Amino acid sequence: MTPRPALAFVSLILIAGAILLILLTLLGGAINKNPTNKFYFLEADTTGLGTAAATSRWTFWNVCSVMDGHNACPKVHAAYPFDPKRNFGTSDIFGYGKHGVARSWGKEGTGSKYYLETRFMFAFVLIGLFFAVCALFLSLLALCSRIGSFLSSALCSVALFFQTLTAALMTAAYVQGRSAFRSSSRTATLGKYNFGFMWAAVAALFLATLLECVGGVTGKKSSERSYTKRTGGGGRGFLGMGRKKSTRSRGSFIDPERQRRMEKEDDD
């Protein structure tokens, strides 16, 4: 029995889990309800920085204040960038005022690097999510088809690529941002849920891609072994029928009447 259905089922669960984790990360900041109001990328002390609250949290959709340990998020904006100068409408954030954060944000006081990283991050996560959903549906086909395993693996690998890019950009932008805040003696922490969800989704998609490939390859080998057993190891003939060796002797093809005449002539 081929192990492909079992591998496809495990892959199906992994892909579904990755999609769930990505969706939970996307919902943080968009819905002010438990548990999504605990999800954020970075929390930092922003006291005295323009229009910022005392403590701010960045999500995919906005920068939120904190109330009783939960996000208190304003209006939603797609692909909201991590760029304190634009977020709070002040140049003090870059070290030009008494409340400023260290100049590590940029030599000329511009946060363009963080801005671009987080903007592209939003686009990549949506692309990865789309391919992950497509791979999920093809995983159902992989339960009964080797071709389905390979197709699902291909789409899953594309989703893995974009999800890895998203997680890498997230890490680069917010880890450096945390360091910039801390270098100005301000407290800053990474969001454990969002970081855990995003990297866990990468791991799940990687394992799903691997299992789908293994399922397709082992399914092929199992089919070949099954065919060999059915045909007894013989080659294929016309219309796939195995050739059978003739057991008749060459003499059996001679006309019996002609054989008797030849024997009678020999006697004469």
Side-chain angles (χ1 to χ4, degrees), residues 157-267:
S157 64
V158 177
L160 172 62
F161 174 76
F162 284 102
Q163 179 61 23
T164 303
L165 280 179
T166 302
L169 290 173
M170 171 194 71
T171 303
Y174 290 107
V175 169
Q176 291 180 72
R178 179 190 62 178
S179 299
F181 275 106
R182 287 182 174 179
S183 65
S184 295
S185 301
R186 291 175 179 269
T187 59
T189 56
L190 299 176
K192 60 182 180 180
Y193 292 112
N194 278 16
F195 271 75
F197 291 163
M198 296 300 278
W199 282 110
V202 171
L205 290 173
F206 173 77
L207 291 175
T209 302
L210 186 63
L211 291 177
E212 293 284 14
C213 284
V214 172
V217 172
T218 55
K220 179 179 180 181
K221 292 181 178 179
S222 177
S223 298
E224 289 176 349
R225 286 196 298 267
S226 177
Y227 171 75
T228 302
K229 289 181 180 179
R230 289 198 305 269
T231 60
R236 290 193 174 188
F238 182 69
L239 295 179
M241 301 295 292
R243 295 183 61 187
K244 296 182 180 180
K245 293 184 179 180
S246 175
T247 57
R248 300 179 63 182
S249 64
R250 293 179 62 186
S252 62
F253 291 97
I254 301 176
D255 184 8
E257 184 64 28
R258 181 182 177 187
Q259 186 176 6
R260 283 196 295 270
R261 286 201 305 269
M262 292 173 64
E263 290 176 353
K264 185 176 179 181
E265 291 176 356
D266 290 340
D267 293 338

Side-chain angles (χ1 to χ4, degrees), residues 16-268:
I19 292 173
L20 176 61
L21 293 174
I22 295 171
L23 287 175
L24 286 174
T25 307
L26 279 169
L27 290 175
I31 300 177
N32 287 322
K33 292 183 180 180
N34 192 51
T36 57
N37 58 6
K38 299 178 182 178
F39 302 157
Y40 58 91
F41 293 110
L42 176 69
E43 178 183 288
D45 173 17
T46 52
T47 304
L49 300 179
T51 59
T55 302
S56 299
R57 289 176 175 177
W58 279 265
T59 70
F60 269 125
W61 306 95
N62 39 42
V63 58
C64 309
S65 59
V66 181
M67 185 178 296
D68 298 327
H70 299 89
N71 300 345
C73 300
K75 187 177 179 179
V76 171
H77 301 277
Y80 193 82
F82 172 54
D83 189 349
K85 181 179 179 180
R86 290 180 173 89
N87 300 154
F88 305 135
T90 178
S91 61
D92 286 359
I93 189 73
F94 299 105
Y96 295 111
K98 63 180 181 179
H99 299 297
V101 174
R103 291 177 182 270
S104 57
W105 288 97
K107 184 176 180 181
E108 300 299 330
T110 171
S112 60
K113 176 176 66 174
Y114 304 94
Y115 177 87
L116 292 175
E117 285 174 342
T118 49
R119 293 280 282 189
F120 277 106
M121 183 178 79
F122 185 81
F124 289 154
V125 75
L126 292 182
I127 296 172
L129 180 62
F130 170 77
F131 281 103
V133 172
C134 293
L136 179 68
F137 286 109
L138 280 178
S139 291
L140 298 174
L141 180 61
L143 292 170
C144 55
S145 169
R146 185 165 57 88
I147 295 177
S149 294
F150 286 124
L151 290 176
S152 177
S153 177
L155 290 178
C156 198
S157 64
V158 177
L160 172 62
F161 174 76
F162 284 102
Q163 179 61 23
T164 303
L165 280 179
T166 302
L169 290 173
M170 171 194 71
T171 303
Y174 290 107
V175 169
Q176 291 180 72
R178 179 190 62 178
S179 299
F181 275 106
R182 287 182 174 179
S183 65
S184 295
S185 301
R186 291 175 179 269
T187 59
T189 56
L190 299 176
K192 60 182 180 180
Y193 292 112
N194 278 16
F195 271 75
F197 291 163
M198 296 300 278
W199 282 110
V202 171
L205 290 173
F206 173 77
L207 291 175
T209 302
L210 186 63
L211 291 177
E212 293 284 14
C213 284
V214 172
V217 172
T218 55
K220 179 179 180 181
K221 292 181 178 179
S222 177
S223 298
E224 289 176 349
R225 286 196 298 267
S226 177
Y227 171 75
T228 302
K229 289 181 180 179
R230 289 198 305 269
T231 60
R236 290 193 174 188
F238 182 69
L239 295 179
M241 301 295 292
R243 295 183 61 187
K244 296 182 180 180
K245 293 184 179 180
S246 175
T247 57
R248 300 179 63 182
S249 64
R250 293 179 62 186
S252 62
F253 291 97
I254 301 176
D255 184 8
E257 184 64 28
R258 181 182 177 187
Q259 186 176 6
R260 283 196 295 270
R261 286 201 305 269
M262 292 173 64
E263 290 176 353
K264 185 176 179 181
E265 291 176 356
D266 290 340
D267 293 338
D268 294 340

